[in-house]
Amino acid sequence: SSGINAEYGENINDGKIPFMDFAPGQDSKPVPFLGNPKSEPLSFPDLFPLGSGHFHDKAREKLIKSKAIPKLSLKDYAESRLFSKERKFAQNPEYIFYLQNWIERTEIINSIITHLRK
């Protein structure tokens, strides 16, 4: 048996041929861009290989609470990333546009919230 049902022309997973899932995220829910604190390391695993050191990193938040490092706005964080000695962030055009998009979306949402309060 070739694993192909000739009557319907579809693959049958009989264990003889490898099964391929062509839509692995089909039953998944999309992850929101702004609402997910891990969107930065998930979007750029090459820049955050351990999943740490990003804007919403728990370790970073603990250091801010203990006043070991200053709390940065998103704009200041982006600036520090792009102008740091570690050039991998500034050399990644997708990351630069990601930061710009993130800042602009955040500013738009904050403007809407402020406008609605009036």
Side-chain angles (χ1 to χ4, degrees):
S1 171
S2 66
I4 301 210
N5 184 337
E7 184 178 335
Y8 298 106
E10 57 190 30
N11 287 335
I12 299 172
N13 189 12
D14 60 4
K16 294 180 183 176
I17 58 171
F19 179 74
M20 297 182 79
D21 189 357
F22 289 103
Q26 184 172 350
D27 296 326
S28 300
K29 292 183 181 179
V31 177
F33 175 73
L34 290 176
N36 184 355
K38 294 187 177 182
S39 66
E40 187 180 16
L42 289 174
S43 299
F44 298 94
D46 54 325
L47 298 179
F48 302 95
L50 301 176
S52 59
H54 56 91
F55 188 69
H56 293 294
D57 187 13
K58 298 282 184 203
R60 185 177 169 277
E61 290 174 2
K62 285 180 186 177
L63 291 170
I64 291 169
K65 282 183 184 176
S66 69
K67 300 191 190 280
I69 61 171
K71 182 176 181 176
L72 297 176
S73 68
L74 183 56
K75 275 186 175 181
D76 290 339
Y77 169 79
E79 232 177 76
S80 71
R81 279 284 180 223
L82 297 178
F83 295 109
S84 70
K85 289 181 183 179
E86 203 170 359
R87 302 302 303 154
K88 67 180 182 178
F89 298 101
Q91 292 172 343
N92 186 321
E94 290 87 5
Y95 184 69
I96 294 169
F97 284 108
Y98 173 89
L99 288 175
Q100 180 183 4
N101 185 12
W102 188 6
I103 291 166
E104 288 176 359
R105 285 176 179 238
T106 302
E107 287 177 348
I108 289 168
I109 288 171
N110 290 341
S111 293
I112 291 170
I113 290 169
T114 301
H115 182 72
L116 291 175
R117 286 185 187 162
K118 293 181 179 182

